[in-house]
Amino acid sequence: MTIKISIDCMGGDHGPSVTIPAAVSFAKHEPDAELILVGLEDIIRAELKKHHAVDHPRLSIVNATEIVAMDDPVEVALRRKKDSSMRVAISLVKEGRAHVCVSAGNTGALMAVSRYVLKTIPGIDRPAICFPMPNQKDSPTYMLDLGANVDCEPHHLHQFALMATALVAALEGKAKPTVGLLNIGEEDIKGNEVVKQTAPLLRADHERGILNFYGNVEGNDIFAGTTDIVVCDGFVGNVVLKASEGLGRFVKKALTSEFKRNPLNMLGAIFAFGALRSFSRRMNPSRYNGASLLGLRGLVFKSHGGESAYGYEWAIKRAYDAANYDVISRISKTIADLMPQSDAPSTPENLSAVSDLAQQKTA
Amino acid sequence: MTIKISIDCMGGDHGPSVTIPAAVSFAKHEPDAELILVGLEDIIRAELKKHHAVDHPRLSIVNATEIVAMDDPVEVALRRKKDSSMRVAISLVKEGRAHVCVSAGNTGALMAVSRYVLKTIPGIDRPAICFPMPNQKDSPTYMLDLGANVDCEPHHLHQFALMATALVAALEGKAKPTVGLLNIGEEDIKGNEVVKQTAPLLRADHERGILNFYGNVEGNDIFAGTTDIVVCDGFVGNVVLKASEGLGRFVKKALTSEFKRNPLNMLGAIFAFGALRSFSRRMNPSRYNGASLLGLRGLVFKSHGGESAYGYEWAIKRAYDAANYDVISRISKTIADLMPQSDAPSTPENLSAVSDLAQQKTA
């Protein structure tokens, strides 16, 4: 079964010089993937030529004449650039021509355009950005929201928990992933008003057997891997994500500078090369690249804007896995099972596109 | 000039087995410090005996019959344990018998008791917890609030910026430390409502030459050292602090496990010993132990509850420095200069105690 992935080739800080080599490499390694490269055709073709992949049978081009810049306001991306590579790539998912879209474009614009084009799943008020954080255990901690929703109400955090439960069940094969509510203490009395009001919603679902609610977790639990999922508002999530990236860079720089401090330490680095290389690989944030925009009627993955081709390929891989495990249908089903208001059939044409794809996959 | 430090010997996860050796060691290394050990006299005396310091001329004991447990609710600490080591140690500051108090007791109780006993500086609504985070530059990033105030209004964040400016000016000798407002993007349109409304307050003070407001900063800027001060609410600050601790532990564990993976890597660790030891020392969170409770009419320092004697001694050292640089007078002066409402003379007896101490110091 072939998974079709639309790539917003012009998005990110580096555009085609990163997105194309990543797509070419992924297509070579994954025989069941078909990649649709969206953007300025001439530029894409020239870049493909560099990588000797112009005639690759599983790489095709869809022309798009505009580019959403990294500092374009949401309104510009949404209203003025209707033929942007970002919008065209997302539209391919809506039209059922791709199972999933990958973009490194600016987060606000990507979320707004995705929401406008794909619409949210019935029962979901707001999509969220979900990211797998590395931790001390084998499988990552899925954290959301990471910046799509800065001011959240308790029912938003509740929906985030339900969506992430469906995602992690699909991606990690865990039937009942544990959910932690990010707080500043374990006790119920701790936290701000929104968090205090969210806990009872999650606990009620736990008692109904719908969620596996662990309780409150604290910042350190993210990297301890205490729970499979950590739920928080987009302000806190975004700050924690960026602080972690910043601390990672600081640690790397400090370690490097110690090994360069004097000739003896430099000699030590030569002997320690194997261990340091493994450590560096394990800690490489590029390996964790690829956040999912959850709650939409179609799959969209966001790569970090400044990623290398190596990191971008990881985002494509995550997108491929999510499509392969039919995450959208699973989330829709979870939410539909849980939420009475999701009975109302809204914009059925789009759901049928998703369902068409699901049928193609099982065919 | 002698700095008098009251030590809540019973506070923290380990109590006297950590606080006493730290106090003994600090007194030995710092001839201008006098430490008042507060707690159950017999236990303190027994612990001092172990460290051959019963007759140390700059260590004295003040008996206190109760102990605030790490899980005691605030009400218990405040209303039922009036002779706790925590309360007595703080009271010594109020009475002018100590310049500063150090405790590793539970944060909520410490803040509540400190506030009750010492009161806030005129013009300050809420005290905040301020902590020096390590960064890529030479001097730390002072971050606040780290958990005392979970739901903040813009004028609280504004006051945090003013207090931290006075603290950093005193401790780091920077006349105009830069202030960053923690946000999820650099642009003014980013962020939650509280942050958006705080930026104009800080900018107005910048234009009046009172604050050196850099603008919005993001999570990664904390460890890049972009600004001297980072202001945020206590929920975000606490989560970031604990997430950073968690990531630090994760990195340490990953590095250790790589060096233990096979005999070749273990050999590498021997050759790399010097660099790894320096790195480990530089990254040791104990070196950054010691948060200040800012905004009170007296100096209180909080040690991490689980710290070793080595880490606790760092908290004593920070407390000593703050008292030595007369931080309270500086903060009071800064706030008084800025805030019209601080003209009102409230509880002058306490301010006079602070002022008495200041005179003793200059004498």
Side-chain angles (χ1 to χ4, degrees):
Chain A
M1 183 204 76
T2 301
I3 299 291
K4 294 174 185 172
I5 307 166
S6 64
I7 305 284
D8 165 13
C9 292
M10 315 308 287
D13 298 342
H14 312 300
S17 66
V18 154
T19 57
I20 306 285
V24 169
S25 168
F26 188 77
K28 277 187 190 155
H29 291 105
E30 184 49 69
D32 288 336
E34 203 176 301
L35 287 90
I36 308 167
L37 309 173
V38 183
L40 296 165
E41 191 164 356
D42 294 348
I43 292 180
I44 294 177
R45 204 170 293 279
E47 196 68 35
L48 280 175
K49 209 169 172 184
K50 271 195 212 164
H51 298 278
H52 316 290
V54 177
D55 300 319
H56 195 290
R58 285 179 288 103
L59 292 175
S60 59
I61 300 174
V62 166
N63 191 42
T65 56
E66 290 172 305
I67 298 172
V68 173
M70 290 307 271
D71 55 357
D72 268 348
V74 166
E75 304 78 57
V76 171
L78 207 53
R79 307 223 171 88
R80 301 218 202 120
K81 294 187 172 173
K82 295 193 176 171
D83 197 40
S84 71
S85 57
M86 181 189 280
R87 178 136 169 195
V88 173
I90 296 167
S91 298
L92 291 175
V93 174
K94 163 147 172 102
E95 293 158 12
R97 292 166 63 193
H99 294 90
V100 57
C101 165
V102 179
S103 174
N106 99 52
T107 310
L110 184 65
M111 183 51 100
V113 174
S114 298
R115 198 173 167 172
Y116 178 79
V117 171
L118 297 171
K119 310 287 182 283
T120 50
I121 290 172
I124 296 297
D125 295 317
R126 296 185 184 181
I129 300 172
C130 183
F131 186 78
M133 306 281 270
N135 66 33
Q136 289 187 24
K137 297 190 180 166
D138 278 342
S139 60
T141 307
Y142 284 81
M143 192 167 163
L144 79 170
D145 173 38
L146 295 185
N149 311 279
V150 289
D151 286 299
C152 288
E153 299 293 321
H155 70 278
H156 297 133
L157 298 182
H158 179 205
Q159 291 172 10
F160 297 168
L162 294 172
M163 294 195 290
T165 293
L167 178 79
V168 175
L171 288 188
E172 304 287 333
K174 290 183 177 177
K176 290 249 172 187
T178 48
V179 175
L181 179 62
L182 192 59
N183 203 336
I184 60 168
E186 287 175 12
E187 309 84 357
D188 276 354
I189 53 153
K190 289 284 180 83
N192 58 29
E193 281 312 310
V194 172
V195 165
K196 279 189 216 167
Q197 289 168 30
T198 303
L201 301 178
L202 300 181
R203 194 158 290 120
D205 273 1
H206 180 84
E207 278 156 20
R208 289 157 65 203
I210 291 162
L211 275 182
N212 190 357
F213 181 45
Y214 171 90
N216 288 335
V217 292
E218 301 183 65
N220 48 304
D221 289 304
I222 300 166
F223 299 102
T226 307
T227 56
D228 299 310
I229 295 161
V230 169
V231 173
C232 60
D233 73 49
F235 190 93
V236 174
N238 188 279
V239 167
V240 168
L241 177 68
K242 288 180 184 159
S244 307
E245 288 171 2
L247 180 54
R249 272 195 292 272
F250 169 41
V251 168
K252 189 176 175 183
K253 209 169 160 180
L255 190 60
T256 309
S257 80
E258 286 305 337
F259 276 109
K260 285 183 177 168
R261 187 179 293 278
N262 56 47
L264 198 66
N265 285 8
M266 286 163 85
L267 187 70
I270 295 169
F271 283 95
F273 180 72
L276 290 174
R277 191 183 48 186
S278 310
F279 172 73
S280 169
R281 275 187 189 156
R282 187 168 165 200
M283 290 290 144
N284 187 348
S286 295
R287 278 188 53 207
Y288 298 92
N289 188 37
S292 23
L293 272 53
L294 281 185
L296 300 163
R297 299 182 189 208
L299 280 175
V300 178
F301 271 73
K302 155 89 180 125
S303 163
H304 195 292
E307 261 306 336
S308 62
Y310 171 77
Y312 197 86
E313 194 177 341
W314 272 100
I316 301 178
K317 180 169 166 34
R318 288 227 151 74
Y320 174 89
D321 285 346
N324 201 22
Y325 289 109
D326 204 8
V327 164
I328 290 289
S329 299
R330 288 173 193 253
I331 294 181
S332 302
K333 192 177 171 316
T334 306
I335 305 295
D337 287 353
L338 299 177
M339 298 210 168
Q341 70 269 36
S342 64
D343 296 342
S346 55
T347 52
E349 79 289 349
N350 184 46
L351 277 182
S352 69
V354 171
S355 143
D356 286 351
L357 271 173
Q359 279 168 14
Q360 285 176 33
K361 281 176 51 186
T362 49
Chain B
M1 183 203 75
T2 301
I3 299 291
K4 294 174 186 173
I5 307 167
S6 64
I7 306 284
D8 165 15
C9 291
M10 315 309 287
D13 298 341
H14 312 298
S17 67
V18 154
T19 56
I20 305 286
V24 169
S25 169
F26 188 78
K28 276 186 190 157
H29 291 105
E30 184 49 69
D32 289 335
E34 203 176 302
L35 287 89
I36 308 166
L37 308 173
V38 184
L40 296 165
E41 191 164 355
D42 294 348
I43 293 180
I44 294 176
R45 205 170 291 282
E47 196 68 35
L48 279 176
K49 209 169 173 184
K50 271 194 213 163
H51 299 279
H52 316 289
V54 177
D55 300 318
H56 194 289
R58 284 179 287 103
L59 292 175
S60 59
I61 300 175
V62 166
N63 191 42
T65 56
E66 291 171 306
I67 298 172
V68 173
M70 289 308 270
D71 55 356
D72 267 348
V74 166
E75 303 80 56
V76 171
L78 206 53
R79 307 224 170 88
R80 300 218 203 120
K81 294 187 172 173
K82 295 193 178 171
D83 196 39
S84 71
S85 58
M86 181 190 281
R87 179 138 169 193
V88 173
I90 296 167
S91 298
L92 291 175
V93 174
K94 166 152 169 94
E95 294 158 12
R97 294 166 61 194
H99 294 90
V100 57
C101 165
V102 179
S103 174
N106 99 53
T107 311
L110 183 64
M111 182 52 99
V113 174
S114 299
R115 199 174 166 171
Y116 178 78
V117 171
L118 296 171
K119 310 288 183 281
T120 51
I121 290 173
I124 295 297
D125 295 317
R126 295 186 185 179
I129 300 172
C130 183
F131 187 76
M133 305 280 271
N135 66 33
Q136 290 187 24
K137 298 190 179 166
D138 278 342
S139 61
T141 305
Y142 284 81
M143 193 166 162
L144 79 169
D145 175 39
L146 295 185
N149 310 280
V150 289
D151 286 297
C152 288
E153 299 293 322
H155 69 277
H156 297 134
L157 298 183
H158 179 205
Q159 291 173 10
F160 297 169
L162 295 172
M163 295 194 291
T165 293
L167 178 79
V168 176
L171 288 189
E172 303 288 333
K174 290 184 177 177
K176 291 249 172 186
T178 49
V179 175
L181 179 62
L182 193 58
N183 202 337
I184 62 167
E186 287 175 13
E187 309 84 357
D188 276 354
I189 53 155
K190 290 284 181 80
N192 59 28
E193 280 312 310
V194 173
V195 166
K196 279 189 216 168
Q197 289 168 27
T198 304
L201 301 178
L202 300 181
R203 194 157 292 120
D205 273 0
H206 180 83
E207 279 156 20
R208 288 158 65 203
I210 292 162
L211 274 183
N212 190 357
F213 181 46
Y214 172 89
N216 288 334
V217 291
E218 302 183 65
N220 48 302
D221 289 305
I222 299 166
F223 299 102
T226 307
T227 55
D228 299 309
I229 295 160
V230 169
V231 173
C232 60
D233 72 49
F235 190 92
V236 174
N238 188 278
V239 167
V240 168
L241 177 69
K242 287 180 184 161
S244 306
E245 287 171 3
L247 180 53
R249 272 195 292 272
F250 169 40
V251 167
K252 188 176 177 183
K253 207 168 161 180
L255 190 60
T256 308
S257 81
E258 286 306 337
F259 276 107
K260 285 184 178 168
R261 188 178 293 277
N262 57 47
L264 199 65
N265 285 8
M266 285 163 84
L267 188 69
I270 294 169
F271 283 95
F273 180 73
L276 290 173
R277 191 183 48 185
S278 310
F279 171 74
S280 170
R281 275 186 189 156
R282 187 169 166 198
M283 290 291 144
N284 187 348
S286 295
R287 278 188 53 208
Y288 298 93
N289 188 37
S292 23
L293 272 53
L294 281 186
L296 300 163
R297 300 182 189 209
L299 279 175
V300 179
F301 271 74
K302 155 88 181 125
S303 162
H304 194 293
E307 263 305 336
S308 62
Y310 172 76
Y312 197 85
E313 194 177 339
W314 272 100
I316 302 177
K317 180 172 165 32
R318 287 225 152 74
Y320 174 87
D321 285 346
N324 202 21
Y325 288 110
D326 204 8
V327 164
I328 290 289
S329 299
R330 288 173 193 254
I331 295 181
S332 302
K333 192 178 172 316
T334 304
I335 304 297
D337 286 353
L338 300 175
M339 298 209 169
Q341 71 267 37
S342 65
D343 295 343
S346 54
T347 53
E349 81 287 351
N350 185 45
L351 277 182
S352 68
V354 170
S355 144
D356 286 351
L357 272 173
Q359 280 169 11
Q360 285 176 32
K361 280 175 54 186
T362 49

